[in-house]
Amino acid sequence: MSNLVNKLIQINDLGLKDYKETWEFQEDLFQGILQLKSTNKKETLRLETPNYFLFVEHPHVYTLGKSGHIENLLISEEKLKALNATFYKINRGGDITYHGPGQIVGYPILDLENFFTDIHKYLRFLEEMIILTLAEYGLKAERSKGETGVWLDVGTPFARKICAMGVRASRWVTMHGFAFNVNTDLGYFDYMIPCGIKDKAVTSLNVELGKAEIPLQEVKEKLLKHFLKLFQAEVMLKAEV
């Protein structure tokens, strides 16, 4: 007996929130969906599983994925403190990345059995959401073969990454997600080898548009519009946490 399909998504904008607190919040939502799926299976129930999409900005933090290499963080613990930054080794895929103010981080916590059971398609849809959003700003963004995320000027000496991605999935439930540089201080990327890739630069939306700042809310609305269309989903509730 299959579960009822639920294509409603609860949108939570967490504002500026500590990385560890947000990670724990994600884990609670993630484990809640897994527990419900286990109950459905054990008791042959057909209860709907919920879906969430968290928007957040983090204070300066470096995170290292489970397949990453600590050598890609180029600074000492003392220098981290001087930069007012923190570091966490976490349970997503991918290598090292940076989060900070002015960067839109998105954490879709979905039961993919409500949509499609294909993790590669899931990642491609997240990339497409960013590509379509950038197109609205007149930028031609692309995928780079073999490298998850979204790039500009792929295949040229000027290739640069504008959005990093790293996810975790268990029994078709997802967590973690994407980090889209909008008004990000790119200087913080100098202290790491982004995603372990040595020969490519990083960029941000405001740099590409030659503007001091792009309204984050405006960008979030565009991202959400494309996300909902790609996943054929609807917003259940907008909540402030």
Side-chain angles (χ1 to χ4, degrees), residues 63-123:
T63 69
L64 184 70
K66 57 189 177 184
S67 56
H69 301 282
I70 189 62
E71 300 80 20
N72 290 326
L73 180 64
L74 305 176
I75 53 175
S76 65
E77 195 172 325
E78 291 73 24
K79 180 66 174 174
L80 270 175
K81 286 178 183 172
L83 289 169
N84 199 25
T86 52
F87 169 79
Y88 294 100
K89 193 165 171 52
I90 62 172
N91 58 354
R92 60 160 170 80
D95 206 288
I96 197 161
T97 197
Y98 160 79
H99 302 306
Q103 181 189 71
I104 294 176
V105 179
Y107 297 129
I109 305 168
L110 312 178
D111 181 359
L112 288 182
E113 288 193 297
N114 287 322
F115 303 95
F116 48 77
T117 49
D118 184 334
I119 197 67
H120 294 288
K121 182 177 178 179
Y122 172 66
L123 286 166

Coordinates of all heavy atoms in Angstrom, one line a residue, residues 63-123:
T63 N 31.8 24.7 6.1 CA 31.3 23.4 6.3 C 32.0 22.4 5.4 O 32.2 22.7 4.2 CB 29.7 23.3 6.2 OG1 29.4 23.4 4.8 CG2 29.0 24.3 7.0
L64 N 32.3 21.2 5.9 CA 33.0 20.2 5.2 C 32.1 19.0 5.0 O 31.7 18.4 6.0 CB 34.3 19.8 5.8 CG 35.2 18.8 5.1 CD1 35.8 19.5 3.9 CD2 36.3 18.4 6.0
G65 N 31.8 18.6 3.8 CA 31.0 17.4 3.6 C 31.7 16.1 3.9 O 32.9 16.1 4.1
K66 N 31.0 15.0 4.0 CA 31.5 13.7 4.5 C 32.6 13.2 3.6 O 33.5 12.4 4.0 CB 30.4 12.7 4.7 CG 29.6 12.4 3.5 CD 28.4 11.5 3.9 CE 27.5 11.3 2.7 NZ 26.3 10.5 3.1
S67 N 32.6 13.6 2.3 CA 33.7 13.1 1.4 C 34.7 14.1 1.1 O 35.6 14.0 0.3 CB 33.0 12.7 0.0 OG 32.3 13.8 -0.5
G68 N 34.7 15.2 1.9 CA 35.6 16.3 1.8 C 37.0 16.1 2.4 O 37.2 15.2 3.2
H69 N 37.9 17.0 2.1 CA 39.2 17.0 2.7 C 39.5 18.2 3.5 O 39.4 19.4 3.0 CB 40.2 16.8 1.5 CG 40.0 15.6 0.7 ND1 40.4 14.3 1.1 CD2 39.4 15.5 -0.5 CE1 40.0 13.5 0.2 NE2 39.4 14.1 -0.8
I70 N 39.9 18.1 4.7 CA 40.2 19.2 5.6 C 41.2 20.1 5.1 O 41.3 21.3 5.4 CB 40.5 18.7 7.0 CG1 40.6 19.9 8.0 CG2 41.8 17.9 7.0 CD1 39.3 20.6 8.2
E71 N 42.1 19.6 4.2 CA 43.2 20.4 3.6 C 42.7 21.5 2.8 O 43.4 22.5 2.5 CB 44.1 19.5 2.8 CG 44.8 18.4 3.5 CD 43.9 17.1 3.7 OE1 42.9 17.0 3.0 OE2 44.2 16.4 4.6
N72 N 41.4 21.4 2.4 CA 40.8 22.4 1.5 C 40.4 23.7 2.3 O 40.0 24.7 1.7 CB 39.6 21.9 0.7 CG 40.1 20.9 -0.3 OD1 41.1 21.1 -0.9 ND2 39.3 19.9 -0.6
L73 N 40.5 23.6 3.7 CA 40.3 24.8 4.5 C 41.7 25.3 4.7 O 42.6 24.5 5.3 CB 39.6 24.4 5.8 CG 39.4 25.6 6.8 CD1 38.5 26.7 6.2 CD2 38.9 25.1 8.1
L74 N 42.0 26.5 4.3 CA 43.4 26.9 4.2 C 43.9 27.8 5.4 O 44.9 28.3 5.4 CB 43.6 27.8 2.9 CG 43.2 27.1 1.6 CD1 43.3 28.0 0.5 CD2 44.0 25.8 1.4
I75 N 43.0 27.8 6.5 CA 43.4 28.7 7.6 C 43.3 27.9 8.9 O 42.6 26.9 9.0 CB 42.5 29.9 7.7 CG1 41.0 29.5 7.7 CG2 42.8 30.9 6.6 CD1 40.1 30.7 7.9
S76 N 44.0 28.4 9.9 CA 44.0 27.8 11.3 C 42.8 28.1 12.1 O 42.0 29.0 11.7 CB 45.3 28.3 12.0 OG 45.1 29.7 12.3
E77 N 42.7 27.4 13.2 CA 41.6 27.7 14.1 C 41.6 29.1 14.6 O 40.6 29.8 14.8 CB 41.6 26.7 15.3 CG 40.3 26.6 16.1 CD 40.4 25.5 17.1 OE1 40.9 24.4 16.8 OE2 39.8 25.7 18.2
E78 N 42.8 29.6 14.9 CA 43.0 31.0 15.4 C 42.5 32.0 14.3 O 41.9 33.0 14.7 CB 44.5 31.3 15.7 CG 45.0 30.5 16.9 CD 45.2 29.0 16.6 OE1 45.4 28.7 15.4 OE2 45.2 28.2 17.6
K79 N 42.9 31.7 13.1 CA 42.4 32.7 12.0 C 40.9 32.6 11.8 O 40.3 33.7 11.6 CB 43.1 32.3 10.7 CG 42.8 33.2 9.5 CD 43.3 34.6 9.6 CE 43.0 35.4 8.4 NZ 43.4 36.8 8.5
L80 N 40.3 31.4 12.0 CA 38.9 31.3 11.9 C 38.2 32.3 13.0 O 37.3 33.0 12.7 CB 38.4 29.9 12.2 CG 38.3 28.9 11.1 CD1 38.0 27.5 11.6 CD2 37.2 29.3 10.1
K81 N 38.8 32.2 14.2 CA 38.2 33.1 15.2 C 38.4 34.6 14.9 O 37.5 35.4 15.1 CB 38.9 32.8 16.6 CG 38.5 31.4 17.2 CD 39.2 31.2 18.5 CE 38.8 29.8 19.0 NZ 39.7 29.4 20.1
A82 N 39.6 34.9 14.3 CA 39.8 36.3 13.9 C 38.9 36.8 12.9 O 38.5 38.0 12.8 CB 41.3 36.4 13.4
L83 N 38.4 35.9 12.0 CA 37.4 36.2 11.0 C 36.0 36.1 11.5 O 35.1 36.4 10.7 CB 37.6 35.2 9.8 CG 38.8 35.3 8.9 CD1 38.9 34.1 8.0 CD2 38.8 36.6 8.1
N84 N 35.8 35.8 12.8 CA 34.5 35.6 13.4 C 33.7 34.5 12.6 O 32.5 34.7 12.4 CB 33.8 37.0 13.4 CG 32.6 36.9 14.3 OD1 32.6 36.2 15.3 ND2 31.6 37.7 14.1
A85 N 34.4 33.5 12.3 CA 33.8 32.4 11.5 C 33.9 31.1 12.3 O 34.7 30.9 13.2 CB 34.5 32.2 10.2
T86 N 33.0 30.1 12.0 CA 33.0 28.8 12.6 C 33.2 27.7 11.6 O 33.2 28.0 10.3 CB 31.7 28.6 13.4 OG1 30.6 28.8 12.5 CG2 31.6 29.5 14.6
F87 N 33.5 26.5 12.0 CA 33.7 25.4 11.1 C 33.0 24.1 11.6 O 33.0 23.9 12.8 CB 35.2 25.1 11.0 CG 35.5 23.8 10.3 CD1 35.5 23.7 8.9 CD2 35.8 22.6 11.0 CE1 35.8 22.5 8.2 CE2 36.1 21.4 10.3 CZ 36.1 21.4 9.0
Y88 N 32.3 23.4 10.7 CA 31.6 22.2 11.0 C 31.9 21.1 10.0 O 31.8 21.4 8.8 CB 30.1 22.4 11.1 CG 29.7 23.3 12.3 CD1 29.4 24.6 12.0 CD2 29.6 22.8 13.6 CE1 29.0 25.4 13.1 CE2 29.2 23.6 14.6 CZ 28.9 24.9 14.4 OH 28.6 25.8 15.4
K89 N 32.1 19.9 10.4 CA 32.2 18.7 9.5 C 30.8 18.1 9.6 O 30.2 17.8 10.7 CB 33.2 17.7 10.0 CG 33.5 16.7 9.0 CD 34.8 15.9 9.3 CE 35.1 14.7 8.5 NZ 35.0 14.8 7.1
I90 N 30.1 18.0 8.4 CA 28.7 17.7 8.4 C 28.4 16.5 7.5 O 29.3 15.9 6.9 CB 27.8 18.9 8.0 CG1 28.2 19.3 6.6 CG2 28.1 20.0 8.9 CD1 27.3 20.4 6.0
N91 N 27.1 16.1 7.5 CA 26.7 14.8 6.9 C 26.1 14.9 5.5 O 25.2 14.1 5.1 CB 25.8 14.1 7.8 CG 24.5 14.9 8.2 OD1 24.4 16.0 7.8 ND2 23.6 14.3 8.9
R92 N 26.5 16.0 4.8 CA 26.0 16.1 3.4 C 27.1 15.5 2.5 O 28.2 15.3 2.9 CB 25.7 17.5 3.0 CG 26.8 18.4 3.2 CD 26.7 19.7 2.4 NE 27.8 20.7 2.8 CZ 29.0 20.7 2.3 NH1 29.4 19.7 1.5 NH2 29.9 21.6 2.7
G93 N 26.7 15.4 1.2 CA 27.8 15.1 0.2 C 28.6 16.4 -0.2 O 28.3 17.5 0.3
G94 N 29.6 16.2 -0.9 CA 30.4 17.3 -1.4 C 31.6 17.6 -0.5 O 31.8 16.9 0.6
D95 N 32.3 18.6 -0.8 CA 33.6 19.0 -0.1 C 33.3 20.2 0.8 O 32.3 20.3 1.5 CB 34.7 19.2 -1.1 CG 36.1 19.0 -0.5 OD1 36.5 19.8 0.3 OD2 36.7 17.9 -0.8
I96 N 34.2 21.2 0.7 CA 34.1 22.3 1.6 C 33.3 23.5 1.0 O 33.4 23.6 -0.2 CB 35.5 22.8 2.1 CG1 35.3 23.7 3.3 CG2 36.2 23.5 1.0 CD1 36.6 23.9 4.1
T97 N 32.5 24.2 1.7 CA 31.9 25.4 1.2 C 31.8 26.4 2.3 O 32.1 26.1 3.5 CB 30.5 25.1 0.7 OG1 30.1 26.2 -0.1 CG2 29.5 24.8 1.7
Y98 N 31.4 27.6 1.9 CA 31.3 28.8 2.9 C 29.9 29.3 2.8 O 29.2 29.3 1.8 CB 32.3 29.9 2.4 CG 31.9 31.2 3.0 CD1 32.2 31.6 4.3 CD2 31.2 32.2 2.2 CE1 31.9 32.8 4.8 CE2 30.9 33.4 2.7 CZ 31.2 33.7 4.0 OH 30.8 34.9 4.6
H99 N 29.4 29.7 4.0 CA 28.1 30.4 4.1 C 28.3 31.7 4.9 O 29.1 31.7 5.8 CB 27.0 29.5 4.8 CG 26.8 28.2 4.2 ND1 26.4 28.1 2.9 CD2 26.8 27.0 4.8 CE1 26.2 26.8 2.7 NE2 26.4 26.1 3.8
G100 N 27.6 32.7 4.5 CA 27.7 34.0 5.2 C 26.6 34.9 4.8 O 25.8 34.6 3.9
P101 N 26.5 36.1 5.5 CA 25.5 37.1 5.2 C 25.5 37.4 3.7 O 26.6 37.5 3.1 CB 25.9 38.2 6.1 CG 26.7 37.6 7.2 CD 27.5 36.5 6.6
G102 N 24.3 37.7 3.2 CA 24.2 38.0 1.8 C 24.1 36.9 0.8 O 23.9 37.0 -0.4
Q103 N 24.2 35.7 1.4 CA 24.1 34.4 0.6 C 22.7 33.8 0.9 O 22.4 33.7 2.1 CB 25.2 33.5 1.0 CG 25.2 32.2 0.2 CD 26.3 31.2 0.8 OE1 26.1 30.7 1.8 NE2 27.4 31.0 0.0
I104 N 22.0 33.4 -0.1 CA 20.7 32.7 0.1 C 21.0 31.2 0.2 O 21.5 30.6 -0.8 CB 19.7 33.0 -1.0 CG1 19.3 34.5 -1.0 CG2 18.5 32.1 -0.8 CD1 18.3 34.9 -2.1
V105 N 20.7 30.7 1.4 CA 20.9 29.2 1.5 C 19.5 28.6 1.6 O 18.6 29.1 2.2 CB 21.6 28.9 2.9 CG1 21.7 27.4 3.0 CG2 23.0 29.5 2.8
G106 N 19.3 27.5 0.8 CA 18.0 26.9 0.7 C 18.1 25.4 1.1 O 19.0 24.7 0.6
Y107 N 17.3 25.0 2.0 CA 17.3 23.6 2.5 C 15.9 23.0 2.2 O 15.0 23.1 3.0 CB 17.5 23.5 4.0 CG 18.9 24.0 4.4 CD1 19.0 24.9 5.5 CD2 20.1 23.5 3.8 CE1 20.3 25.4 5.9 CE2 21.3 24.0 4.2 CZ 21.4 24.9 5.3 OH 22.7 25.3 5.7
P108 N 15.7 22.3 1.0 CA 14.5 21.6 0.8 C 14.5 20.3 1.6 O 15.5 19.5 1.4 CB 14.5 21.3 -0.7 CG 15.6 22.2 -1.3 CD 16.6 22.4 -0.2
I109 N 13.6 20.0 2.4 CA 13.5 18.8 3.2 C 12.2 18.1 2.7 O 11.1 18.4 3.1 CB 13.4 19.0 4.7 CG1 14.7 19.9 5.1 CG2 13.4 17.7 5.5 CD1 14.6 20.4 6.5
L110 N 12.4 17.3 1.6 CA 11.3 16.7 0.9 C 11.2 15.2 1.0 O 12.3 14.6 1.1 CB 11.4 17.1 -0.6 CG 11.7 18.5 -1.0 CD1 11.8 18.6 -2.5 CD2 10.6 19.4 -0.5
D111 N 10.1 14.6 1.0 CA 9.9 13.2 0.7 C 9.8 13.1 -0.8 O 8.7 13.4 -1.4 CB 8.7 12.6 1.4 CG 8.6 11.1 1.2 OD1 9.4 10.6 0.4 OD2 7.6 10.5 1.7
L112 N 10.9 12.7 -1.5 CA 10.8 12.6 -2.9 C 9.8 11.6 -3.5 O 9.4 11.7 -4.6 CB 12.2 12.3 -3.5 CG 13.3 13.4 -3.4 CD1 14.6 13.0 -4.0 CD2 12.8 14.7 -4.0
E113 N 9.3 10.7 -2.6 CA 8.2 9.8 -3.0 C 7.0 10.6 -3.3 O 6.0 10.1 -3.9 CB 8.0 8.7 -2.0 CG 9.2 7.7 -2.0 CD 8.9 6.4 -1.3 OE1 8.6 6.5 -0.1 OE2 8.8 5.4 -1.9
N114 N 6.9 11.8 -2.9 CA 5.8 12.7 -3.2 C 5.9 13.3 -4.6 O 5.0 13.9 -5.2 CB 5.6 13.9 -2.2 CG 5.1 13.4 -0.9 OD1 4.2 12.6 -0.8 ND2 5.6 14.0 0.2
F115 N 7.1 13.2 -5.2 CA 7.5 13.9 -6.5 C 8.0 12.9 -7.5 O 7.4 12.6 -8.5 CB 8.4 15.0 -6.2 CG 7.9 16.0 -5.2 CD1 8.3 15.9 -3.9 CD2 7.1 17.0 -5.6 CE1 7.8 16.8 -2.9 CE2 6.6 17.9 -4.7 CZ 6.9 17.8 -3.3
F116 N 9.2 12.4 -7.2 CA 9.8 11.4 -8.1 C 11.0 10.8 -7.3 O 11.6 11.4 -6.5 CB 10.4 12.0 -9.4 CG 11.1 13.3 -9.2 CD1 12.5 13.3 -8.7 CD2 10.6 14.5 -9.4 CE1 13.2 14.4 -8.5 CE2 11.3 15.7 -9.1 CZ 12.6 15.6 -8.7
T117 N 11.3 9.5 -7.6 CA 12.4 8.9 -6.9 C 13.6 8.8 -7.7 O 14.0 7.8 -8.3 CB 11.9 7.5 -6.4 OG1 11.4 6.8 -7.5 CG2 10.9 7.6 -5.3
D118 N 14.3 10.0 -7.8 CA 15.5 10.1 -8.6 C 16.4 11.2 -8.1 O 16.0 12.4 -8.3 CB 15.1 10.3 -10.1 CG 16.3 10.4 -11.0 OD1 17.4 10.7 -10.6 OD2 16.1 10.1 -12.3
I119 N 17.4 10.9 -7.4 CA 18.2 11.9 -6.7 C 19.0 12.8 -7.7 O 19.2 14.0 -7.5 CB 19.2 11.3 -5.6 CG1 19.7 12.3 -4.7 CG2 20.3 10.5 -6.3 CD1 18.7 12.9 -3.8
H120 N 19.4 12.2 -8.8 CA 20.1 13.0 -9.9 C 19.1 14.0 -10.5 O 19.5 15.1 -10.7 CB 20.7 12.1 -10.9 CG 21.7 11.2 -10.4 ND1 23.0 11.7 -10.1 CD2 21.8 9.9 -10.1 CE1 23.7 10.7 -9.6 NE2 23.0 9.6 -9.6
K121 N 17.9 13.6 -10.7 CA 16.9 14.5 -11.2 C 16.6 15.6 -10.2 O 16.5 16.8 -10.6 CB 15.6 13.8 -11.5 CG 14.5 14.6 -12.1 CD 13.2 13.8 -12.4 CE 12.1 14.6 -13.0 NZ 10.9 13.8 -13.3
Y122 N 16.6 15.3 -8.9 CA 16.4 16.2 -7.9 C 17.5 17.3 -7.9 O 17.2 18.5 -7.9 CB 16.4 15.5 -6.5 CG 16.4 16.4 -5.3 CD1 15.4 17.3 -5.0 CD2 17.6 16.5 -4.5 CE1 15.4 18.1 -3.9 CE2 17.6 17.4 -3.4 CZ 16.5 18.2 -3.1 OH 16.5 19.0 -2.1
L123 N 18.8 16.9 -8.0 CA 19.9 17.9 -8.1 C 19.8 18.7 -9.3 O 20.1 19.9 -9.3 CB 21.2 17.1 -8.0 CG 21.6 16.6 -6.6 CD1 22.7 15.6 -6.8 CD2 22.0 17.7 -5.7

